[in-house]
């Protein structure tokens, strides 16, 4: 990397943009300056979007953006703008939609060519530095696009018009005229399950992604229909993932995805949003099965997140790279010699057999650790006591972990993103229910304090934070994910301030993002800078869609407060996308979970008792030990003025001075319950 160059990215806070600040390309950040220059010189804009944990983004940087000749061409023909998609998901969404329309596929790095007023007319993803694999080289693309812009203005204009019309269509929806079918959840789950891999778990063959939203939908269907097959699919998948190379067996936490069908070889980056959602689903499966394996993965993953990804002030970082020292996965892989040096020949041999470490290797002549023998099998094979094998594994993992800590670590992107922290709060809340450790509660509380002191001002949430600066007004995901995280945190800790905060965010979200004309929520708020299109996110990607999260949020608050407006708006979103959900359920798993909450009304549970009372705690523990996908849970003290909190609480008092539980469902309430056994029966009904 040559240090003589510095471009306009040098003043940015995004680690990804700073990685490009010394390229010979004259990069600009997104903003007025770049657009003024493009207009003044009548040059098209080359917009390049990526993120720091993206392997191919680094490849294109090394091959093209570090290349003096290619950079010279870019500078001569274009005004070049670099965007971090994690910092500006609004731009990423618009221009990714455009690239998918143009090419039929998407991905990062994304390269889009725009007119000086930001309208896309051509684009693609990764381009090689010269013609190869039947792909035109980047220089040829640059010359061709610049020439088309200068000489074929009509074609460019036609392309722009088609793309803008396509973007406009994407944010339109048609409310269904049909009533919701009671078996839509079952049919959708059945439809998605056709892609299930019965051998290795997961959906499809390769690459294989975690898809937490789909498994949440399967669990809900299992709960309502008592269909064992759906629970089995989730258990099988989470077991295979937890035993595979996609899981980090030494340090905890999951990698992004598996490049093969059997979860062995991962793409090694670790993302906060994946781990947050997986902590949640593993906690739920533990709740149903009580299988200690799932709880162990939850605890190891949360331990990893608190150790590696938590800022000392509070708030969780975004991602960790796949590469270290220029090699993908280098930090994570082992040879038999390395293991034997640490554990000794005899113990090393046993450890290597259990974790598939061999001379030929399972990944580029090195080894990704993953267990291929159970403790029982290893104890028979090596004629050792099971307890001895367990101790050997624990000691081996500890020693290898400590040795690995001395290696050069993958780069960590220390941006704090509000929406992903919202997902993390929901994950932590589920973990707290099955494993109520003070460290988990403290991490969640510190994160909330951090967000509301550093990333919230004048009634507005901000999207990302780095180096003392909060940037970008919050998007729909920031409000909806954080508010849901607050609701979940409340149900795990009963800190009523969290619920008040969640309602405050819900009100701002309705005011800023709701589309009065067409219904449903825009991705950007009214206060946001004007872009060429205002998208409405409805498809799940690696995170839930903003409209799905907002719908679940509104329904939960309707059942907490009885406010009809929340229900009406949630219904409007569900009606707007109902036909699409039926047709392609895979892209709508989270919105289908919202529809499930709408169709199968929640159990509204109120506990009247003092938090510190042992009997109250016993009743709460009983409630938390059940998997109840649709529920609202509130704890109120016997002396609180209930009508001020919600009309739904009026008249609920303690019986004979004992902590008392009320369960209401479908507008009818159970008799007051004071005994744990009675509560257990009522919850299993």
């Amino acid at each position: 990397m040559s240090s003589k160059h510095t471009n306009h990215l040098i003043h940015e806070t995004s680690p990804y943009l700073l990685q490009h600040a010394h390229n010979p390309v004259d990069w600009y950040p997104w903003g007025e300056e770049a657009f003024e220059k493009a207009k003044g010189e009548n040059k098209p804009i080359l917009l390049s979007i990526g993120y720091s944990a993206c392997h191919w983004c680094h490849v294109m940087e090394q091959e093209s953006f570090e290349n003096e000749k290619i950079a010279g061409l870019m500078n001569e023909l274009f005004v070049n703008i670099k965007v971090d998609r994690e910092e500006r998901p609004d731009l990423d969404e618009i221009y990714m939609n455009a690239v998918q329309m143009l090419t039929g596929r998407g991905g990062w790095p994304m390269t889009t060519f725009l007119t000086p007023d930001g309208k896309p007319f051509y684009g693609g993803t990764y381009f090689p530095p010269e013609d190869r694999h039947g792909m035109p080289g980047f220089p040829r693309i640059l010359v061709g696009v610049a020439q088309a812009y200068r000489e074929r203005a009509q074609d460019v204009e036609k392309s722009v018009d088609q793309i803008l019309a396509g973007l406009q269509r994407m944010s339109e929806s048609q409310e269904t005229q049909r009533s919701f079918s009671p078996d839509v959840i079952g049919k959708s789950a059945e439809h998605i399950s056709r892609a299930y891999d019965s051998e290795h778990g997961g959906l499809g063959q390769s690459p294989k992604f975690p898809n937490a939203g789909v498994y949440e939908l399967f669990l809900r269907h299992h709960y309502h229909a008592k269909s064992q097959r759906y629970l089995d699919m989730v258990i099988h998948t989470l077991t295979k993932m937890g035993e595979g190379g996609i899981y980090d067996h030494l340090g905890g936490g999951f990698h992004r995805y598996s490049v093969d069908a059997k979860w062995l070889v991962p793409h090694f980056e670790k993302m906060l949003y994946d781990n947050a959602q997986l902590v949640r689903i593993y906690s739920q499966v533990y709740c149903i099965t009580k299988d200690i394996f799932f709880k162990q993965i939850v605890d190891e993953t949360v331990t990893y997140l608190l150790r590696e990804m938590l800022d000392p002030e509070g708030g969780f970082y975004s991602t960790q790279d796949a590469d270290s020292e220029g090699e993908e996965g280098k930090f994570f892989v082992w040879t038999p010699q390395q293991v034997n040096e640490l554990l000794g020949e005899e113990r090393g041999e046993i450890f290597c057999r259990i974790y598939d470490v061999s001379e030929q290797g399972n990944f580029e002549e090195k080894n990704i650790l993953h267990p291929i023998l159970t403790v029982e099998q290893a104890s028979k094979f090596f004629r050792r006591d099971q307890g001895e094998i367990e101790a050997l594994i624990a000691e081996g993992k500890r020693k290898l972990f400590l040795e690995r800590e001395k290696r050069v670590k993958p780069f960590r992107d220390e941006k704090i993103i509000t929406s992903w922290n919202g997902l993390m709060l929901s994950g932590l809340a589920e973990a707290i229910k099955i494993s109520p450790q003070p460290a988990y509660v403290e991490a969640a509380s510190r994160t909330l304090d951090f967000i509301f002191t550093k990333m919230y001002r004048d009634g507005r949430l901000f999207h990302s934070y780095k180096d003392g600066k909060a940037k970008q007004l919050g998007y729909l995901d920031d409000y909806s994910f954080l508010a849901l995280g607050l609701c979940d945190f409340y149900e795990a800790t009963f800190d009523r301030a969290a619920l008040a905060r969640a309602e405050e965010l819900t009100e701002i979200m309705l005011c800023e993002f709701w589309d009065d004309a067409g219904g449903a929520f825009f991705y950007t708020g009214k206060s946001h800078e004007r872009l060429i299109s205002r998208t409405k996110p409805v498809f799940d990607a690696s995170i839930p869609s903003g409209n799905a999260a907002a719908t679940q949020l509104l329904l939960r608050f309707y059942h907490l407060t009885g406010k009809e407006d929340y229900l009406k708006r949630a219904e409007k979103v569900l009606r707007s996308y109902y036909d699409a959900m039926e047709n392609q359920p895979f892209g709508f798993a989270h919105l289908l979970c919202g529809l499930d909450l709408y169709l199968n009304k929640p159990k509204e549970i109120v506990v009247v008792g003092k938090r510190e009372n042992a009997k109250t705690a016993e009743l709460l523990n009983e409630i938390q030990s059940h998997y109840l996908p649709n529920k609202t849970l509130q704890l109120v003290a016997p002396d609180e003025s209930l009508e001020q909190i919600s009309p739904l609480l009026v008249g609920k008092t303690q019986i004979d001075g004992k902590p008392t539980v009320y369960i209401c469902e479908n507008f009818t309430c159970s008799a007051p319950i004071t005994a744990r056994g009675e509560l257990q029966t009522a919850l299993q009904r």
Side-chain angles (χ1 to χ4, degrees):
M1 187 177 281
S2 128
S3 58
K4 62 178 187 285
H5 297 291
T6 316
N7 56 47
H8 305 267
L9 301 180
I10 197 71
H11 305 297
E12 293 298 301
T13 56
S14 151
Y16 175 69
L17 296 183
L18 289 170
Q19 284 165 1
H20 293 78
H22 298 285
N23 295 163
V25 177
D26 188 19
W27 290 119
Y28 283 80
W30 180 272
E32 262 325 289
E33 195 183 351
F35 284 100
E36 290 306 321
K37 182 176 164 72
K39 284 171 191 155
E41 298 175 14
N42 190 21
K43 276 185 183 174
I45 288 165
L46 186 160
L47 172 65
S48 173
I49 301 186
Y51 58 103
S52 71
C54 157
H55 175 69
W56 285 100
C57 298
H58 296 309
V59 172
M60 191 161 172
E61 179 187 12
Q62 283 154 6
E63 292 176 341
S64 292
F65 308 149
E66 289 287 343
N67 176 317
E68 299 275 350
K69 244 171 109 171
I70 295 178
L73 207 52
M74 290 169 70
N75 296 339
E76 180 196 338
L77 300 174
F78 299 93
V79 172
N80 302 288
I81 296 181
K82 196 75 173 128
V83 163
D84 176 348
R85 70 174 288 249
E86 294 170 354
E87 197 173 69
R88 292 300 303 263
D90 54 333
L91 299 174
D92 182 61
E93 174 141 25
I94 291 170
Y95 292 108
M96 180 59 76
N97 285 341
V99 167
Q100 285 173 326
M101 273 180 232
L102 284 160
T103 65
R105 48 187 281 268
W108 299 272
M110 172 166 60
T111 314
T112 323
F113 297 94
L114 322 177
T115 61
D117 52 1
K119 293 170 180 167
F121 62 92
Y122 187 72
T125 51
Y126 162 80
F127 292 107
E130 68 272 325
D131 300 1
R132 64 162 97 119
H133 312 309
M135 291 166 83
F138 197 40
R140 184 202 289 253
I141 294 280
L142 295 170
V143 172
V145 169
Q147 193 176 359
Y149 178 77
R150 283 197 313 274
E151 295 168 14
R152 303 211 305 278
Q154 279 176 310
D155 293 355
V156 167
E157 203 169 313
K158 194 170 153 195
S159 176
V160 163
D161 289 345
Q162 284 172 338
I163 293 167
L164 291 180
L167 291 174
Q168 178 58 35
R169 278 196 302 278
M170 288 179 87
S171 69
E172 289 165 1
S173 56
Q174 206 54 54
E175 275 194 66
T176 187
Q177 297 311 306
R178 300 176 297 139
S179 51
F180 298 140
S181 154
D183 60 0
V184 62
I185 303 301
K187 279 188 172 156
S188 300
E190 201 281 317
H191 186 105
I192 297 171
S193 75
R194 291 174 209 160
Y196 185 70
D197 176 354
S198 54
E199 190 181 350
H200 304 295
L203 300 171
Q205 286 304 306
S206 64
K208 236 180 208 161
F209 288 85
N211 291 321
V214 166
Y215 305 123
E216 194 168 325
L217 187 67
F218 283 6
L219 289 186
R220 284 167 174 270
H221 181 53
H222 157 73
Y223 176 80
H224 299 303
K226 303 289 172 269
S227 167
Q228 188 61 30
R229 174 172 164 249
Y230 288 90
L231 178 59
D232 290 344
M233 285 191 277
V234 180
I235 290 172
H236 180 221
T237 300
L238 297 195
T239 303
K240 288 289 191 193
M241 281 173 61
E243 290 171 348
I246 190 174
Y247 184 66
D248 178 356
H249 293 273
L250 296 183
F254 288 86
H255 299 294
R256 177 73 196 95
Y257 63 87
S258 166
V259 300
D260 53 41
K262 53 182 194 284
W263 305 109
L264 170 59
V265 178
H267 210 356
F268 285 93
E269 69 261 44
K270 286 180 176 176
M271 322 300 270
L272 178 64
Y273 55 73
D274 286 324
N275 284 288
Q277 292 175 88
L278 288 166
V279 163
R280 179 181 159 91
I281 195 88
Y282 274 85
S283 299
Q284 289 173 341
V285 170
Y286 171 73
C287 212
I288 297 169
T289 62
K290 302 296 184 270
D291 179 340
I292 206 74
F293 169 78
F294 298 117
K295 183 172 184 293
Q296 183 185 336
I297 289 205
V298 169
D299 285 328
E300 288 174 0
T301 301
V302 175
T303 301
Y304 149 72
L305 289 161
L306 301 190
R307 181 185 70 237
E308 301 271 334
M309 299 296 274
L310 183 60
D311 189 272
E313 286 189 81
F316 287 84
Y317 302 136
S318 301
T319 61
Q320 284 173 313
D321 263 16
D323 313 13
S324 49
E325 302 179 75
E327 277 179 51
E328 189 179 3
K330 183 172 183 177
F331 180 77
F332 297 99
V333 294
W334 297 86
T335 62
Q337 291 78 351
Q338 289 171 327
V339 175
N340 291 341
E341 272 171 31
L342 289 170
L343 306 186
E345 289 288 330
E346 191 190 353
R347 298 171 82 82
E349 187 201 344
I350 298 175
F351 189 90
C352 284
R353 268 313 290 266
I354 294 171
Y355 279 96
D356 191 29
V357 179
S358 63
E359 287 299 336
Q360 66 272 21
N362 58 29
F363 172 72
E364 296 175 2
E365 293 166 22
K366 301 259 178 31
N367 296 273
I368 297 166
L369 299 184
H370 69 120
I372 52 172
L373 295 178
T374 63
V375 170
E376 199 180 341
Q377 288 167 331
S379 115
K380 283 183 182 152
F381 188 83
F382 291 105
R383 298 202 174 87
R384 305 280 179 104
D385 184 63
Q386 282 195 30
E388 197 184 332
I389 295 287
E390 279 171 358
L392 183 149
I393 289 172
E395 176 68 358
K397 280 166 80 169
R398 194 181 66 81
K399 284 186 169 167
L400 265 68
F401 173 75
L402 291 172
E403 183 61 29
R404 193 178 82 173
E405 284 293 283
K406 299 173 191 167
R407 296 177 178 177
V408 175
K409 289 196 171 182
F411 174 79
R412 178 173 65 189
D413 187 329
E414 295 183 357
K415 276 197 307 297
I416 292 169
I417 292 177
T418 302
S419 51
W420 300 1
N421 275 268
L423 292 174
M424 188 62 218
L425 282 168
S426 290
L428 275 175
E430 292 293 329
I432 289 165
K433 290 176 197 173
I434 65 164
S435 191
Q437 302 194 29
Y440 297 4
V441 179
E442 200 220 340
S445 302
R446 282 222 328 265
T447 293
L448 283 169
D449 284 347
F450 178 85
I451 289 172
F452 283 104
T453 49
K454 298 288 168 77
M455 302 179 74
Y456 185 70
R457 52 174 188 267
D458 307 327
R460 288 284 177 272
L461 204 49
F462 283 77
H463 170 67
S464 76
Y465 180 93
K466 177 87 176 45
D467 299 342
K469 285 186 199 157
K471 296 180 80 169
Q472 307 311 333
L473 284 175
Y475 302 106
L476 176 62
D477 294 2
D478 297 310
Y479 284 88
S480 57
F481 294 7
L482 181 59
L484 279 175
L486 283 157
C487 289
D488 291 335
F489 180 67
Y490 169 75
E491 290 195 356
T493 61
F494 306 102
D495 172 359
R496 194 162 279 284
L499 214 48
R501 282 278 194 207
E503 191 165 10
E504 189 181 323
L505 292 177
T506 304
E507 288 296 335
I508 302 168
M509 178 185 86
L510 287 170
C511 171
E512 277 281 307
F513 299 93
W514 182 256
D515 176 6
D516 290 319
F521 292 91
F522 288 117
Y523 189 64
T524 50
K526 288 175 187 161
S527 316
H528 199 74
E529 81 172 90
R530 282 283 155 269
L531 300 171
I532 58 162
S533 160
R534 229 177 144 193
T535 57
K536 277 186 192 164
V538 288
F539 291 106
D540 296 332
S542 43
I543 55 176
S545 82
N547 269 288
T551 301
Q552 291 189 33
L553 177 66
L554 289 174
L555 289 169
R556 280 173 70 171
F557 263 112
Y558 165 67
H559 287 287
L560 284 167
T561 63
K563 283 188 187 167
E564 284 286 331
D565 182 49
Y566 293 155
L567 177 67
K568 286 204 175 89
R569 299 211 208 202
E571 277 175 342
K572 197 160 173 67
V573 180
L574 293 169
R575 298 190 69 78
S576 296
Y577 299 105
Y578 181 71
D579 296 339
M581 280 190 260
E582 270 196 326
N583 292 333
Q584 37 182 328
F586 179 76
F588 288 99
H590 288 281
L591 198 54
L592 283 159
C593 290
L595 183 58
D596 174 57
L597 174 54
Y598 175 80
L599 293 171
N600 299 298
K601 308 280 183 283
K603 283 182 165 37
E604 296 163 357
I605 307 171
V606 178
V607 181
V608 187
K610 284 208 157 46
R611 180 85 181 92
E612 56 282 1
N613 179 307
K615 194 81 184 145
T616 306
E618 186 185 295
L619 294 171
L620 288 170
N621 290 342
E622 181 59 49
I623 295 164
Q624 304 290 33
S625 73
H626 291 260
Y627 170 70
L628 301 167
N630 295 331
K631 76 163 190 305
T632 61
L633 173 59
Q634 295 198 71
L635 173 68
V636 291
D639 50 5
E640 274 187 276
S641 115
L642 301 185
E643 52 278 359
Q644 282 187 339
I645 302 174
S646 161
L648 307 176
L649 300 178
V650 175
K652 293 182 169 55
T653 54
Q654 287 195 336
I655 303 298
D656 304 331
K658 295 178 189 163
T660 305
V661 181
Y662 294 84
I663 303 173
C664 304
E665 201 168 8
N666 265 330
F667 314 107
T668 52
C669 293
S670 68
I673 299 168
T674 55
R676 185 169 188 163
E678 210 183 321
L679 177 59
Q680 189 177 16
T681 313
L683 292 172
Q684 280 165 349
R685 249 182 233 131

